[in-house]
């Protein structure tokens, strides 16, 4: 995943890049298609927004909203144990 900038506004966004080629298993391609279809239907303040896709030079690029704090999984990996108020906040967001 890379950080990119929209050329006209300067707004940051994330680009998930995946190489496509003859070695790409059909199951991986199908999983990517499902992810894109799912992302394109979701609209919620606590879900990363899907912006679009492009295929350039045998690579699939999925454009998504940039979230500076990263994923919940990344926070847990970094800090191991999160304080109870933080866990409560994220739990409420997941449940909403």
């Amino acid at each position: 995943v890379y950080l990119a900038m929209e050329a006209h506004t300067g707004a940051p966004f994330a680009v998930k890049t995946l190489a496509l080629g003859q070695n790409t298993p059909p199951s991986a391609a199908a999983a990517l298609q499902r992810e894109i279809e799912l992302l394109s239907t979701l609209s919620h303040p606590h879900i990363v927004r899907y912006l679009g896709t492009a295929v350039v030079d045998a690579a699939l690029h999925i454009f998504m909203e940039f979230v500076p704090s990263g994923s919940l999984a990344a926070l847990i990996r970094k800090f191991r144990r999160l304080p109870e108020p933080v866990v409560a906040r994220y739990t409420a967001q997941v449940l909403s």
Side-chain angles (χ1 to χ4, degrees):
V1 178
Y2 299 95
L3 177 61
M5 180 176 33
E6 205 282 324
H8 298 286
T9 65
F13 64 96
V15 182
K16 185 177 190 178
T17 300
L18 303 137
L20 299 174
Q22 294 177 344
N23 297 334
T24 304
S27 61
L32 287 172
Q33 184 62 35
R34 284 192 306 274
E35 179 179 357
I36 292 166
E37 288 171 2
L38 177 63
L39 284 172
S40 68
T41 64
L42 299 175
S43 177
H44 191 277
H46 301 303
I47 296 176
V48 175
R49 192 168 35 107
Y50 167 79
L51 303 173
T53 57
V55 176
V56 179
D57 297 330
L60 171 66
H61 305 282
I62 303 172
F63 309 117
M64 298 175 290
E65 170 186 20
F66 172 64
V67 180
S69 60
S71 70
L72 182 55
L75 286 175
I76 292 169
R77 278 193 303 275
K78 183 175 181 177
F79 296 106
R80 301 257 174 168
R81 295 181 65 165
L82 300 176
E84 188 175 326
V86 173
V87 171
R89 188 173 119 226
Y90 284 122
T91 300
Q93 289 177 4
V94 168
L95 292 174
S96 75

